[in-house]
Amino acid sequence: MDYEQLGFKCGIEIHQQLDTDRKLFCHCPVDLVDENADGKFERHLNVVAGEAGEKDKAAEAEALRSRKYVYKHYSRNNCLVEADEEPPHDISQQALDTALTFARMVNADIVPEIQVMRKMVVDGSNTSGFQRTMMLGLGGKIKTEYGSVKIEDIELEEESAGIHEKNSEEAIYDLNRLGVPLIEIGTDASIQNPEHAREVALKLGMLLRSTGKARRGLGTIRQDVNVSIEEGARVEIKGFQDVKNIDELIRLEVERQKNLVELGKELENAEVVGDNVTHLFEDTENQIISTVLENDGAVYALKLPGMTGKMKQKISGDKYLALELVDYAKSQGVQGILHTDEDLEKYDLVEEFRKVSDVFDKKDEDVIAVIAAERKQAKTAAQEVLKRAEMLYTGEIPEETRNAEQNFTSSYMRPLPGAARMYPETDIAPIRIKDEKVKEIDRNLPETLEEKKNRLEAEIGDQLASQITNSRKIGLFNKFEGSVQKKDLANYIVNTLPRLESEGLDVSNQDAEKILDSFSKKEIEKAHLEEASRLAAEGSDNPVDEVLESQVSDEKIEEAVRDVISSKVAMIEDQGLRAQGALMGEILKDIDADGSRVAPVLQKFLEEAVNE
Ligand SMILES: [Zn+2]
């Protein structure tokens, strides 16, 4: 595919949660674990006009669905700030420093005065109806294989509440995640092709992890992709988590836009018509529709001229054309659409569709599509689907926000949000960033993981270097790199700890640090690292002491050395000091001690024996 010729434009936005001591504007911890909620409360969202006086399109779309929002709260991770019942606390200095550090790593300019803003939230993912955000860096860039890519802006903001469950009446959110610090980075639209986007996303992820304060694991980093082709339209695909496959996501979106443009050229201009056809379904045998009608439902039908044979046409990966329309119905809480391009016999609807076809004067090449739902829902869904269907005939692609799916396709979520959505946060004073502060950040910029990997390759080998720089426990490595043999340290982190984990023995970071501390002070030996860690994971309060108690005593070692020397007299007479290696092997068969403790004892006694 020639992306340049297609007029491909693409920028990405990365959202990375931070692993700080506390949340951005309160003192709750950010370590989130699966646990049961301690309670819940409800809120309703009202659309209010922004400062510019116009209502946000996306907010209106959300309000059209008139949902109730339910928030589950967790006492360990939540206080009154997340419930919007207490003003924000002061900002987490650690989060701010991390964001400033990242900004300087990509050579962005730091704004001298940071103004915290309230960004309007349209989907209920924040109890207050807004998200606190602050722009702190501008005009950075990173180098890539395809030249440099601009980082337009860097923001520090509050993570939203996680969606737990969503249906047509209510959306249920988990509040534990709300308020976790989040760095948002936006590139300009100069990304040249899908492969390039992947490179940019991976590089930004690597740089974020290099700060040592990036959270790791499922959902801790998300990518939004802005993509368009010249004849298409700007589409924002949200919430993609599988960075290694971001190229595939983009490829499929380009394919979708290209196919829809082509379809528009192929179809003759025609009018899509729709109407309420509930009366034609009054005697239906179809279970679903009769149930809908019994519950104050309605049936709407649309005629899509010239669409026969096209509804099942693939337009993006496995996604076929009908789903472009189904997504719009679903956005109104409707299950789906029934249409004449599928087998109606299996739905027991042949007769009903014949009546509808007569009313609409359907020709062979026309498709009749039917929506059945609660009266109001059916009507808005039919209107939305009709609007979307009309665009198929002109090849116009709607500008919209789409949701990334598991199979790298995407589905319609809501219209693109407009610009009228920010206003200053009056509860927090602007934050001055002095030149001195920026200089201090510059003096302390971390080595990037890429640089670290290159440096370590010579010292501990390519494989270990790559494993340790990709490890979630790289922080442990950084901490002890200067005081422990790097190879031993890396092996402990990427081999010993995961091995224990696979046995169900999770060694906490604090325990691992304690054990490595004893190791660095030579209180315990390399051979004891695993045993001490095992004991710690099994709940021992003092794994180091326990391991020392079970350690072979100096007396035992001396005894074992004497035994072997007296039993190998002939060998020692024959080989002299060269017998040391073989003798060592014999001794270690006998006792469970570290070779480094045995060696000096053996050497001393062997020299004595040889000199006798
Ligand atoms: Zn809190």
Side-chain angles (χ1 to χ4, degrees):
M1 188 96 55
D2 187 340
Y3 287 94
E4 199 184 336
Q5 205 184 3
L6 281 173
F8 177 83
K9 273 202 185 133
C10 175
I12 57 178
E13 228 178 64
I14 295 201
H15 307 253
Q16 168 74 62
Q17 290 178 1
L18 298 185
D19 191 12
T20 42
D21 297 340
R22 45 165 275 206
K23 288 186 179 178
L24 191 53
F25 288 113
C26 71
H27 286 72
C28 297
V30 304
D31 61 319
L32 314 174
V33 288
D34 271 339
E35 55 191 345
N36 292 325
D38 298 299
K40 61 178 183 180
F41 58 88
E42 289 172 11
R43 296 278 162 85
H44 293 264
L45 176 88
N46 294 312
V47 189
V48 289
E51 276 190 336
E54 54 190 275
K55 284 182 183 178
D56 187 85
K57 238 163 109 186
E60 269 187 308
E62 195 67 33
L64 201 59
R65 296 168 205 174
S66 58
R67 273 204 192 96
K68 180 172 80 184
Y69 298 106
V70 179
Y71 299 99
K72 296 177 146 198
H73 69 87
Y74 299 76
S75 21
R76 208 175 60 80
N77 289 111
N78 290 138
C79 64
L80 291 173
V81 174
E82 290 94 331
D84 193 31
E85 280 169 9
E86 187 183 306
H89 302 176
D90 59 338
I91 191 167
S92 156
Q93 192 60 46
Q94 199 184 27
L96 181 59
D97 285 354
T98 304
L100 292 172
T101 299
F102 176 83
R104 293 303 297 152
M105 285 171 82
V106 296
N107 279 307
D109 295 323
I110 304 291
V111 302
E113 189 171 270
I114 298 172
Q115 171 66 57
V116 181
M117 303 292 283
R118 293 177 171 187
K119 180 155 72 180
M120 190 171 161
V121 165
V122 299
D123 59 1
S125 63
N126 200 315
T127 49
S128 59
F130 59 80
Q131 174 190 32
R132 294 186 187 90
T133 179
M134 67 203 88
M135 204 271 291
L136 50 82
L138 277 171
K141 66 178 169 194
I142 55 165
K143 287 205 182 90
T144 71
E145 298 270 331
Y146 295 88
S148 61
V149 168
K150 271 203 191 118
I151 308 297
E152 288 195 320
D153 49 359
I154 298 161
E155 272 103 23
L156 177 61
E157 54 189 35
E158 294 174 299
E159 175 64 291
S160 58
I163 186 80
H164 185 85
E165 212 183 300
K166 200 172 190 174
N167 57 45
S168 54
E169 282 94 42
E170 57 180 24
I172 304 171
Y173 286 97
D174 283 323
L175 273 193
N176 48 359
R177 198 180 85 173
L178 183 65
V180 169
L182 193 74
I183 294 186
E184 183 183 305
I185 309 152
T187 73
D188 69 354
S190 67
I191 290 172
Q192 295 172 28
N193 56 55
E195 185 57 37
H196 190 201
R198 180 176 186 268
E199 187 197 352
V200 171
L202 285 172
K203 181 140 194 174
L204 289 172
M206 183 277 293
L207 291 171
L208 284 162
R209 289 199 304 281
S210 301
T211 64
K213 284 277 165 271
R215 287 194 81 220
R216 302 289 299 269
L218 203 67
T220 55
I221 184 164
R222 301 188 299 276
Q223 283 87 22
D224 293 349
V225 179
N226 273 289
V227 62
S228 66
I229 56 172
E230 194 164 351
E231 292 182 286
R234 186 166 82 86
V235 156
E236 184 177 65
I237 307 174
K238 282 193 101 70
F240 192 65
Q241 298 186 15
D242 181 6
V243 60
K244 290 199 172 90
N245 285 305
I246 200 165
D247 50 338
E248 187 59 12
L249 178 83
I250 296 170
R251 245 175 243 127
L252 289 182
E253 175 56 20
V254 169
E255 186 179 302
R256 187 183 74 93
Q257 296 199 12
K258 213 167 144 269
N259 282 332
L260 287 172
V261 168
E262 269 161 30
L263 178 76
K265 290 176 184 163
E266 216 175 279
L267 286 171
E268 278 178 42
N269 225 336
E271 196 192 356
V272 181
V273 287
D275 208 349
N276 186 329
V277 293
T278 311
H279 61 284
L280 301 178
F281 285 80
E282 266 157 10
D283 304 320
T284 188
E285 305 265 313
N286 178 287
Q287 268 298 315
I288 302 168
I289 296 185
S290 62
T291 309
V292 165
L293 293 184
E294 276 162 30
N295 291 292
D296 194 28
V299 183
Y300 280 78
L302 305 175
K303 183 172 82 168
L304 310 170
M307 207 58 97
T308 293
K310 296 197 186 323
M311 297 291 270
K312 289 282 167 83
Q313 205 167 293
K314 300 250 171 87
I315 55 158
S316 170
D318 284 338
K319 227 174 154 167
Y320 47 91
L321 182 65
L323 292 176
E324 277 290 309
L325 303 178
V326 170
D327 283 349
Y328 274 72
K330 279 190 173 166
S331 76
Q332 301 307 315
V334 171
Q335 295 292 326
I337 296 176
L338 291 164
H339 59 81
T340 50
D341 228 11
E342 60 190 332
D343 179 13
L344 292 167
E345 263 173 57
K346 99 180 154 193
Y347 298 114
D348 235 339
L349 286 167
V350 176
E351 186 53 25
E352 292 83 342
F353 267 83
R354 198 191 51 73
K355 288 189 213 156
V356 178
S357 299
D358 285 348
V359 169
F360 281 93
D361 192 19
K362 172 190 177 318
K363 311 242 169 18
D364 281 351
E365 64 272 25
D366 304 336
V367 161
I368 296 289
V370 154
I371 292 167
E374 181 273 322
R375 194 187 295 256
K376 223 172 88 190
Q377 245 173 8
K379 187 175 180 184
T380 49
Q383 285 166 344
E384 291 286 304
V385 172
L386 187 137
K387 262 195 283 179
R388 178 66 192 92
E390 281 174 340
M391 295 169 90
L392 294 177
Y393 292 85
T394 58
E396 186 190 344
I397 314 283
E399 287 196 344
E400 61 196 18
T401 304
R402 298 178 66 82
N403 190 35
E405 304 289 351
Q406 297 283 337
N407 63 358
F408 314 129
T409 62
S410 61
S411 50
Y412 169 73
M413 192 151 95
R414 57 178 179 241
L416 277 186
R421 55 188 307 217
M422 294 261 249
Y423 43 105
E425 165 62 271
T426 43
D427 286 341
I428 301 160
I431 304 160
R432 292 252 348 244
I433 306 292
K434 297 193 178 121
D435 285 354
E436 200 39 56
K437 175 77 182 173
V438 179
K439 281 182 193 147
E440 185 199 318
I441 297 271
D442 281 347
R443 277 195 300 275
N444 294 301
L445 284 190
E447 179 183 35
T448 71
L449 287 172
E450 208 169 73
E451 291 161 351
K452 193 180 199 78
K453 179 167 161 279
N454 293 337
R455 173 170 64 79
L456 286 174
E457 274 173 358
E459 296 178 67
I460 63 174
D462 293 5
Q463 197 190 351
L464 259 189
S466 152
Q467 284 175 310
I468 194 70
T469 47
N470 280 313
S471 167
R472 290 184 192 187
K473 296 191 188 286
I474 177 77
L476 209 51
F477 186 87
N478 294 343
K479 193 157 184 177
F480 290 94
E481 187 180 13
S483 56
V484 169
Q485 281 274 348
K486 291 186 185 109
K487 199 162 191 167
D488 293 343
L489 180 59
N491 263 316
Y492 173 70
I493 294 169
V494 304
N495 292 317
T496 309
L497 291 179
R499 187 164 59 240
L500 290 171
E501 209 171 299
S502 72
E503 292 173 31
L505 294 167
D506 287 342
V507 184
S508 73
N509 249 339
Q510 289 104 303
D511 282 336
E513 279 184 22
K514 252 194 265 172
I515 290 162
L516 285 170
D517 193 47
S518 298
F519 181 49
S520 73
K521 291 177 183 149
K522 305 220 171 354
E523 290 166 8
I524 56 166
E525 297 157 20
K526 186 164 81 173
H528 295 131
L529 285 174
E530 177 159 353
E531 188 53 26
S533 304
R534 181 184 297 277
L535 290 167
E538 283 168 354
S540 163
D541 291 332
N542 253 318
V544 168
D545 289 351
E546 263 190 67
V547 123
L548 286 174
E549 275 165 31
S550 68
Q551 182 176 314
V552 179
S553 66
D554 290 346
E555 290 75 30
K556 260 261 156 49
I557 290 176
E558 203 174 304
E559 195 185 312
V561 170
R562 280 179 197 282
D563 281 355
V564 167
I565 286 186
S566 59
S567 69
K568 299 282 176 189
V569 176
M571 184 186 180
I572 293 169
E573 273 179 9
D574 189 34
Q575 301 183 9
L577 292 176
R578 283 177 292 120
Q580 184 162 349
L583 296 174
M584 179 70 115
E586 289 294 318
I587 296 164
L588 293 183
K589 268 189 225 163
D590 237 30
I591 55 167
D592 186 18
D594 205 85
S596 64
R597 284 180 69 209
V598 178
V601 183
L602 174 58
Q603 192 172 357
K604 176 169 159 253
F605 282 90
L606 182 61
E607 277 170 8
E608 280 174 20
V610 171
N611 294 333
E612 252 174 25

